[in-house]
């Protein structure tokens, strides 16, 4: 079967994580979540983590030279041989160009870019209600609460609010998204790869729409 190489694009809090998990749970696609990889490095105190932390806490992008090599390594890995879903990468045009070049060298292509769009005011509301577990599973106080308030469903650990989900940092992250990440919309539209989804719809509806597109991309790839 042809590989399927997907990019999830959209502002922070658009639902990329929720949808990425759902899409990859039933597909043999490697799910690469840049933010989770960086947060794990911060937690472990690796060189990368130490360098990345201040940028992340401030809501800025971590410099390209720290991120690009890291993600391309995952794209080239055995686990991604049948395809991948990238979440949180590329985050600017330089990263998009680096990804395109690396795939080109491997004789591979991007199958599609899935843009989940949500207006800024909804994002602020969503992110400030977001809580995460030790394992990285994301909950929402209103829309996706844990069974026991404040505790993760899987391991019972305390749910926490990420520093970068605090209101001032959310506004900074949205500004960074509009300035640096949004130009990728035109970049991929020009390549005929962009598919838009209304991220304000219910998660099940967004998932259904995404699956429809992913199925047709799979069929196109198989031809
Ligand atoms: P996320 O969970 O995707 O919102 O990522 C959290 C933070 O990690 C971002 O605010 C950035 O500081 C950093 N980050 C994630 N992905 C990237 C990327 N592709 N390039 C640079 N920084 C990133």
């Amino acid at each position: 079967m042809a590989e399927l190489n997907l990019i999830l694009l959209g502002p922070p809090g658009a639902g990329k994580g929720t949808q990425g998990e759902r899409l990859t749970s039933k597909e043999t696609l490697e799910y690469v979540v840049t933010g989770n990889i960086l947060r794990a490095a911060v937690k472990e105190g690796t060189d990368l983590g130490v360098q990345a932390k201040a940028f992340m806490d401030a809501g800025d992008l971590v410099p390209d030279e720290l991120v690009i090599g890291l993600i391309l390594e995952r794209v080239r890995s055995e686990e991604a041989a049948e395809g991948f879903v990238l979440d949180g990468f590329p985050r600017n045009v330089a990263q998009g160009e680096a990804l395109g070049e690396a795939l080109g060298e491997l004789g591979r292509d991007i199958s599609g870019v899935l843009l989940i769009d949500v207006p800024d005011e909804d994002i602020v509301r969503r992110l400030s209600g977001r809580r995460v577990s030790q394992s990285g599973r994301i909950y929402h106080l209103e829309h996706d609460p844990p069974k026991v308030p404040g505790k993760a469903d899987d391991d019972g650990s305390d749910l926490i609010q990420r520093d970068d989900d605090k209101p001032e940092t959310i506004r900074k992250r949205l500004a960074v998204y509009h300035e640096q990440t949004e130009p990728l919309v035109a970049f991929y539209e020009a390549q005929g790869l962009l598919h838009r989804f209304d991220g304000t719809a219910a998660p099940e509806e967004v998932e259904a729409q995404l699956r429809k597109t992913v199925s047709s991309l799979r069929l196109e790839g198989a031809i």
Side-chain angles (χ1 to χ4, degrees):
M1 192 185 283
E3 61 182 296
L4 195 60
N5 301 327
L6 302 171
I7 295 172
L8 281 172
L9 196 61
K16 300 189 297 294
T18 305
Q19 299 300 338
E21 266 173 36
R22 292 182 184 195
L23 280 182
T24 51
S25 68
K26 294 183 198 155
E27 307 252 1
T28 50
L29 301 174
E30 175 75 343
Y31 184 32
V32 183
V33 187
T34 314
N36 286 355
I37 296 171
L38 292 172
R39 278 185 289 278
V42 170
K43 207 163 151 194
E44 285 164 27
T46 62
D47 278 355
L48 167 70
V50 170
Q51 294 182 71
K53 187 174 187 317
F55 295 100
M56 295 173 74
D57 286 348
D60 280 316
L61 293 187
V62 174
D64 286 349
E65 53 275 26
L66 295 179
V67 173
I68 291 178
L70 187 76
I71 300 305
L72 294 185
E73 197 181 300
R74 295 288 293 270
V75 164
R76 294 188 185 105
S77 72
E78 189 57 36
E79 288 75 18
E82 288 183 40
F84 53 77
V85 175
L86 295 182
D87 173 345
F89 186 94
R91 207 86 159 209
N92 59 30
V93 171
Q95 293 181 6
E97 285 169 346
L99 175 66
E101 268 168 39
L103 289 175
E105 281 163 17
L106 297 167
R108 298 170 71 176
D109 288 314
I110 295 165
S111 316
V113 177
L114 313 173
L115 170 65
I116 306 180
D117 224 351
V118 176
D120 285 9
E121 42 301 5
D122 295 44
I123 296 292
V124 175
R125 218 176 19 249
R126 282 185 185 193
L127 287 186
S128 45
R130 192 154 91 159
R131 299 292 181 273
V132 289
S133 72
Q134 287 287 334
S135 64
R137 157 89 156 81
I138 294 170
Y139 298 83
H140 194 279
L141 297 182
E142 280 170 54
H143 313 300
D144 187 16
K147 296 195 180 82
V148 177
K151 303 281 178 196
D153 291 349
D154 50 358
D155 58 9
S157 62
D158 286 338
L159 299 184
I160 56 155
Q161 182 173 41
R162 280 167 35 185
D163 280 340
D164 60 355
D165 283 343
K166 308 242 157 94
E168 6 15 300
T169 318
I170 295 171
R171 277 189 283 276
K172 177 67 194 283
R173 290 167 68 201
L174 277 171
V176 169
Y177 174 76
H178 291 305
E179 272 166 34
Q180 303 196 43
T181 309
E182 220 166 24
L184 284 167
V185 173
F187 178 81
Y188 285 123
E189 202 156 37
Q191 296 176 36
L193 291 172
L194 196 80
H195 303 265
R196 289 174 192 268
F197 300 86
D198 174 8
T200 63
E204 290 64 36
E205 177 59 24
V206 180
E207 182 183 356
Q209 298 297 331
L210 285 167
R211 282 195 188 281
K212 231 190 271 174
T213 298
V214 170
S215 301
S216 60
L217 290 172
R218 222 188 238 299
L219 285 176
E220 281 170 28
I223 294 167

